[in-house]
Amino acid sequence: MKRRNFLHSLGLGSLFAGLSAIPAQAAKIRRISPANPESKQQVCSMARRIYKVGDEVKLEINATPEFIKKLFQIDIKEDDGEYKFSPSKRAKYTIADNKITFTWKFQREGGYVVMLFYKDGKKQVQTKRKKKRTPAEYFPVYALDEDLYNLRAYKGDFHMHSRFSDGKHAADTMGVKCLEVGFDFQALSDHRTTKGSQLLIDEFNPLPISMRCFKGEECHKAIPHVHSIGASQCITDYIDNNKEAFEKRIEEILPTLPKDLTPLEAHSVAGSEAEFEIINKFGGLSALNHPFWRMGERNIHLTKRVVQVLCERAKFDYLEIVNSSCSDDSTDLAICALFEAKDKGKDLNIFGTSDAHSRDRLGEGYTIVFAKSNEWNDVKSAILNKKNVVVESHDKKLPRLFGKMRYMQFAYFLYQFFFPLHDAICQEQAKLLSACIKAKYSEESKQKLAKKSEEVKALYRTFWGA
């Protein structure tokens, strides 16, 4: 059975409100982007694409004099539903200095299309089919309610490994690659140590780059792989120095667990929950990693019952539902666990990662958060408040997204019109970062880096208009 049919058979759209992968929406946006003449003829351009619902906003389009002479009409239409559901509305515009300007008030959140019509001589531009008028140029834009408009979209990965554990590359090599693929935040999470992530914090965070580095660690004091992000201490070291207290806490948790668990299952659950508590104690986010990872592509790492109990009790902060290094069924089964937990009244936070052990795997799995900034406290808050979208991207096609519908639809728009611009700047920034490292952080190399980093900030300001 194909993955899409498998997910449909689970009732993906109805069992868990707000969580879905919507290939139909993705396909609709994909039709808009390649056909948009702005990317081919460059006769018009529109820098700002995001607006606030309810405000009287000004839209500006730069155009060539030749195009402006032919322009005769501008319509705006919601990019949702057929014509009868969202008919086009006419905009009154002015022209000055090769700039087309008009005001508009978007009534509700969602995507819209600004359509520009012109006459070629005495004829309107027409399609050969049905003789229906079609715009000569059109620009997809997006309107957001105030709460989401005041946030920004940041990409990042919390699960990757360097030579400080079993990774193929050095910590700074992984860090540079994270910036190259367009990450705004990242955390190395080597097994049983925070040395790699601390190195990047010390080395990269003082630099004028747009990406932030956080402390991370993959813990192994129980059979389930437990993740620690942002904790002030290395969890493995802390437990090793406090073994008696840790074992005592496990013994306290065991009597609270379901009686049908085997002794090994019960100890695994209790050990994991004891780790979650310590991570939270030191200000970090705790996670259950790849619950359906197949070891050597054969046996699933954890029993179904262990995963069920961990998710029903939900003592962790988020569940890793996408791990692009795992087999294809790992994500699908993790979503099933999410549904079952929802049935038990547990609305779990989710995250996606690459679990990259090589720089070449970075960018295949990650998460978009909608936050005030890409600093730790804001990223943490976004995850805890479910203001994020999980991404699975194994190829160059439009990625597969998971999350609440509101954030997913906006994310698909960003993938078409914002992130390509964002990632191109980050790629150039990564080259300058590599040069900066080779130049041993000379002032000249840091100045070049700062200039490119400022371009990322400027892109956010321009695209959001704020």
Side-chain angles (χ1 to χ4, degrees):
M1 181 183 291
K2 291 184 178 180
R3 170 180 287 180
R4 185 180 299 176
N5 294 334
F6 171 67
L7 292 175
H8 180 72
S9 71
L10 297 175
L12 188 59
S14 59
L15 286 178
F16 184 41
L19 177 72
S20 64
I22 45 175
Q25 175 70 7
K28 180 174 69 172
I29 294 179
R30 197 181 295 124
R31 285 199 299 272
I32 289 176
S33 183
N36 193 343
E38 69 170 301
S39 62
K40 297 179 180 179
Q41 301 176 19
Q42 294 296 314
V43 295
C44 292
S45 63
M46 188 177 186
R48 182 181 177 184
R49 297 297 184 92
I50 299 175
Y51 302 87
K52 187 163 66 172
V53 170
D55 280 3
E56 194 82 18
V57 294
K58 183 170 72 172
L59 287 81
E60 295 182 345
I61 300 172
N62 294 310
T64 62
E66 292 76 15
F67 181 85
I68 288 175
K69 289 177 183 178
K70 298 178 180 180
L71 179 68
F72 80 95
Q73 181 179 311
I74 295 179
D75 288 352
I76 296 182
K77 181 183 182 299
E78 286 189 62
D79 183 26
D80 186 17
E82 297 299 329
Y83 174 78
K84 291 182 180 179
F85 286 101
S86 54
S88 300
K89 296 180 180 179
R90 192 70 40 83
K92 295 181 180 180
Y93 60 90
T94 60
I95 298 173
D97 300 324
N98 296 329
K99 185 175 293 184
I100 306 164
T101 304
F102 59 96
T103 58
W104 198 260
K105 182 183 286 189
F106 296 100
Q107 299 296 332
R108 60 181 179 179
E109 188 170 272
Y112 295 79
V113 181
V114 178
M115 302 179 290
L116 286 70
F117 298 88
Y118 72 83
K119 289 183 178 179
D120 188 3
K122 294 182 179 180
K123 275 187 169 183
Q124 295 178 9
V125 175
Q126 294 179 330
T127 58
K128 293 181 180 179
R129 187 176 159 191
K130 296 184 179 179
K131 297 297 181 181
K132 182 181 178 182
R133 284 193 303 116
T134 187
E137 292 275 345
Y138 51 89
F139 296 94
V141 299
Y142 215 95
L144 298 171
D145 289 332
E146 185 174 10
D147 63 326
L148 185 50
Y149 176 77
N150 290 332
L151 305 178
R152 299 294 178 265
Y154 301 106
K155 298 191 294 182
D157 188 353
F158 282 164
H159 192 169
M160 64 192 82
H161 300 276
S162 72
R163 289 177 184 165
F164 278 98
S165 57
D166 57 348
K168 183 179 179 180
H169 296 103
D172 58 355
T173 300
M174 296 293 284
V176 171
K177 185 65 177 183
C178 283
L179 186 57
E180 182 182 324
V181 299
F183 287 166
D184 302 289
F185 62 89
Q186 63 92 357
L188 271 176
S189 54
D190 284 303
H191 302 282
R192 304 178 181 86
T193 181
T194 59
K195 290 180 180 179
S197 59
Q198 189 61 56
L199 184 150
L200 288 188
I201 290 170
D202 296 340
E203 188 174 353
F204 283 6
N205 279 0
L207 295 175
I209 59 176
S210 61
M211 181 181 70
R212 307 307 294 161
C213 302
F214 306 140
K215 187 174 286 190
E217 174 189 6
E218 189 167 17
C219 311
H220 298 277
K221 292 301 179 179
I223 291 179
H225 289 200
V226 170
H227 218 65
S228 170
I229 299 296
S232 59
Q233 294 196 26
C234 174
I235 306 305
T236 299
D237 289 348
Y238 179 84
I239 293 175
D240 286 343
N241 293 328
N242 297 272
K243 290 182 180 179
E244 289 186 9
F246 182 68
E247 291 298 331
K248 180 181 178 182
R249 183 57 187 144
I250 291 176
E251 293 302 318
E252 292 171 347
I253 295 171
L254 284 171
T256 71
L257 300 179
K259 304 305 179 184
D260 65 318
L261 294 174
T262 67
L264 182 57
E265 287 176 330
H267 198 275
S268 296
V269 172
S272 299
E273 291 190 353
E275 287 182 273
F276 299 149
E277 290 177 0
I278 296 171
I279 293 167
N280 294 153
K281 174 182 177 180
F282 293 114
L285 286 177
S286 60
L288 174 60
N289 279 353
H290 46 61
F292 294 98
W293 165 49
R294 289 185 179 274
M295 298 183 295
E297 299 296 319
R298 296 187 298 275
N299 298 327
I300 292 179
H301 182 226
L302 303 175
T303 67
K304 179 176 66 176
R305 187 63 181 135
V306 167
V307 177
Q308 284 176 336
V309 173
L310 283 169
C311 289
E312 288 171 10
R313 289 167 64 87
K315 303 296 184 180
F316 51 79
D317 292 311
Y318 68 83
L319 179 69
E320 185 187 73
I321 66 164
V322 164
N323 181 309
S324 62
S325 295
C326 291
S327 55
D328 287 342
D329 64 345
S330 174
T331 297
D332 302 335
L333 292 170
I335 291 172
C336 289
L338 210 58
F339 294 156
E340 291 188 352
K342 181 72 172 178
D343 289 341
K344 299 291 185 179
K346 297 295 183 180
D347 190 8
L348 304 178
N349 302 316
I350 58 175
F351 205 81
T353 71
S354 65
D355 195 0
H357 287 65
S358 164
R359 64 183 178 183
D360 299 328
R361 299 299 302 271
L362 289 168
E364 294 183 358
Y366 53 93
T367 298
I368 302 169
V369 300
F370 298 95
K372 292 180 179 179
S373 75
N374 59 342
E375 297 292 344
W376 168 244
N377 285 336
D378 290 331
V379 171
K380 178 180 178 180
S381 176
I383 296 167
L384 293 177
N385 288 286
K386 299 180 177 62
K387 296 180 179 180
N388 63 318
V389 170
V390 173
V391 183
E392 189 177 57
S393 180
H394 289 285
D395 53 38
K396 294 182 180 179
K397 296 178 181 178
L398 201 65
R400 185 176 179 225
L401 308 185
F402 303 91
K404 291 186 178 296
M405 181 69 75
R406 181 190 190 194
Y407 301 116
M408 284 180 58
Q409 288 186 310
F410 183 38
Y412 274 124
F413 175 84
L414 294 174
Y415 267 107
Q416 295 295 294
F417 306 107
F418 175 73
F419 283 130
L421 304 174
H422 169 277
D423 294 356
I425 300 173
C426 288
Q427 190 172 14
E428 292 300 316
Q429 195 180 173
K431 293 178 182 178
L432 293 173
L433 177 57
S434 294
C436 185
I437 294 172
K438 290 179 181 178
K440 300 188 183 300
Y441 307 108
S442 69
E443 286 303 314
E444 181 182 358
S445 64
K446 286 196 286 187
Q447 287 175 5
K448 292 179 180 178
L449 196 55
K451 186 177 179 181
K452 186 59 65 174
S453 177
E454 183 57 37
E455 289 184 22
V456 177
K457 298 176 183 177
L459 176 63
Y460 277 103
R461 290 194 298 266
T462 300
F463 210 82
W464 267 259

